[in-house]
Amino acid sequence: MTPPNALLFRELHHQPEPLLLPNAWDARSAATYQEMGFGAVGTSSAAIASMLGYADGEQMPFADLRFVVARICQAVQVPVTVDVEAGYSRRAATVCANVAQLADLGVVGINIEDSLVINGQRQLVPADAFAELLHQLKNYLAARSRAVFINARTDAYLLGAAQSLPEIRLRAQAYAQAGADGLFVPGLTDLGHMRQLAGATALPLNVMCLPNLPGFGELQQAGVRRISMGNFAFEHLGRVHAAAMATLRSEENFATLFR
């Protein structure tokens, strides 16, 4: 039987309004999102890595990610989806096992991306290779009765690949055929391109918070089904903290901590 949160999370991608998904980095931030009425919680790999003192790009051990995710799952009752970057392994069997471990903690969704950080540079994985990984992951989870929403992230737009829109359309088709449940296109802010992509795939289209991203209503009209916040809430909180510490030192008292 499919867990209720897994069914709910899938349904949230097919509601009249896009799913506004906040990205947590620890149990407290996840609990705050739940208290604020968000219907689901995601994680940010970049925020979790930074919180633990690692660089982004799978520099954090998977065991550390699993520990933080376990604490998040214990802190909230809403569906939890996890950013697994590229799966924390180059071996498909290990990627599958990693995702299954997260599902055992209560995770009902993942983001997995079609790029790798190699020698400090992010590079796209060939579409057929990533589609094969999705296919193996889908079959592995199904064979073990693990209901996980697979949000396939393509970085073609983010990396400025030549003719990125046609490339993303081809990747979306391949990823859907391989078993993906959603399509995540970070870096996409053009409403016209969103309409084209939303019309070209049956996968719910996910975009990410950016300074020039249009408002929620415009995104809904363009066919967007999910809006993620990435690591930007975490970074904003860091700036607020730094400003408070600067004020504390300049005023030579603790009043700023109680305002």
Side-chain angles (χ1 to χ4, degrees), residues 145-214:
S145 300
R146 300 293 190 273
V148 177
F149 186 102
I150 300 175
N151 202 33
R153 167 176 152 170
T154 178
D155 285 341
Y157 206 99
L158 188 66
L159 295 175
Q163 295 189 328
S164 55
L165 195 59
E167 174 70 16
I168 293 170
R169 293 178 66 168
L170 290 173
R171 286 176 179 259
Q173 182 179 16
Y175 299 169
Q177 291 175 348
D181 301 294
L183 178 69
F184 183 24
V185 190
L188 178 61
T189 59
D190 185 281
L191 289 170
H193 289 179
M194 292 176 199
R195 292 189 189 94
Q196 291 183 53
L197 287 175
T201 179
L203 297 178
L205 177 61
N206 180 189
V207 298
M208 187 175 72
C209 157
L210 285 171
N212 58 339
L213 189 70

Side-chain angles (χ1 to χ4, degrees), residues 216-234:
F216 302 159
E218 292 177 288
L219 295 175
Q220 178 180 352
Q221 292 175 4
V224 170
R225 307 308 314 143
R226 172 167 156 180
I227 309 165
S228 300
M229 298 186 195
N231 65 323
F232 296 107
F234 172 79

